[in-house]
Amino acid sequence: MTHETPLKRVVLINGIPASGKSTLTRLMSQQFGLPVLTLDSVKEPFMASFAPVDRQRNRQLGCAAYQAIWQIVGQAPAECIFLIDAWFGFQPKSVLEQGLQQAGVSEVLELWLQITPDEAVARYQSRLAQRMPGHPGAEYLPELRRLAEQAQPMALGPVLRVGSQEADQLRAVKWLRHQLATTGYTFPLSERVKEDDHVTTALSATGRERRAL
């Protein structure tokens, strides 16, 4: 008797720094009950331990955190779908492809956070005082502007481009629900309540959170 091996899936929440990845990741985690891996959450404890951290060391720690994420994904059961919050473009696309292959990932869904250069610069600048020492400071703003002009999704599977409006985020929730449903994902009990007002309540909460920053 044979048993079908379940596909291992990940959801990339991708975008340049200050594009709104963290807000969207929290919303998706709340809506779907999926575990989250973020590049900063893996990297920042090491930044604190090895302080002071310059730009080169920051990048080295980022690369190491990136590899740690794929180790975690690879060791998890195939049924476990991770939301992975990162700016995936800081390394060549081939590095992502290698990490996915090593982790045994068969299907990649991607939510791409779109942002204008002016919005990206303004958001990053407004958060400089809140950033952990070791992250790039104001000197990074010209580079960030260029990224906002040129950056593109990884496009290794279905991609949805998402703006910062609540309507965009509601569309992202519906899109991910559809993508997971078409591949046979069984939603947790909390996600079976599918009325739009349930999602809108969560969106309103994240909107208040953004305004408080």
Side-chain angles (χ1 to χ4, degrees):
M1 183 175 179
T2 61
H3 296 275
E4 184 178 350
T5 302
L7 295 176
K8 178 168 282 192
R9 306 177 181 90
V10 293
V11 181
L12 308 183
I13 301 186
N14 187 19
I16 67 171
S19 59
K21 297 187 299 297
S22 297
T23 297
L24 185 61
T25 300
R26 282 191 291 270
L27 173 64
M28 293 298 174
S29 182
Q30 291 167 6
Q31 288 298 309
F32 296 99
L34 298 177
V36 172
L37 290 169
T38 75
L39 195 66
D40 281 350
S41 67
V42 177
K43 178 176 71 172
E44 286 183 346
F46 294 95
M47 291 175 65
S49 297
F50 293 105
V53 173
D54 60 17
R55 182 75 185 275
Q56 181 179 0
R57 179 55 59 88
N58 182 311
R59 182 170 288 274
Q60 290 172 338
L61 291 174
C63 292
Y66 200 64
Q67 294 302 318
I69 283 174
W70 301 124
Q71 289 283 337
I72 294 168
V73 172
Q75 292 171 12
E79 296 82 1
C80 184
I81 302 175
F82 284 99
L83 300 170
I84 306 179
D85 167 353
W87 159 226
F88 290 92
F90 86 102
Q91 292 192 99
K93 188 175 182 177
S94 60
V95 177
L96 171 59
E97 292 172 325
Q98 183 179 21
L100 291 166
Q101 182 180 14
Q102 291 175 346
V105 173
S106 303
E107 181 178 82
V108 179
L109 303 173
E110 183 176 2
L111 291 165
W112 170 252
L113 277 295
Q114 300 185 125
I115 189 168
T116 68
D118 287 344
E119 288 175 324
V121 168
R123 281 191 193 177
Y124 195 92
Q125 193 164 27
S126 70
R127 300 173 188 177
L128 285 175
Q130 303 166 12
R131 301 280 283 173
M132 174 179 286
H135 285 292
E139 74 284 353
Y140 179 64
L141 295 176
E143 181 179 341
L144 180 62
R145 178 176 290 278
R146 290 192 295 272
L147 280 179
E149 294 169 347
Q150 301 171 5
Q152 295 293 326
M154 294 290 100
L156 295 175
V159 178
L160 180 70
R161 296 173 182 264
V162 185
S164 60
Q165 300 301 312
E166 288 187 3
D168 293 313
Q169 296 180 353
L170 176 58
R171 185 164 55 91
V173 170
K174 292 180 175 180
W175 179 83
L176 184 55
R177 182 188 294 152
H178 173 73
Q179 292 293 329
L180 294 177
T182 57
T183 54
Y185 175 70
T186 302
F187 294 95
L189 186 60
S190 61
E191 225 298 293
R192 293 176 191 167
V193 180
K194 296 187 177 181
E195 291 83 354
D196 288 348
D197 59 351
H198 178 69
V199 178
T200 302
T201 299
L203 286 169
S204 297
T206 57
R208 291 193 297 272
E209 179 181 292
R210 287 195 303 272
R211 289 191 291 271
L213 292 176

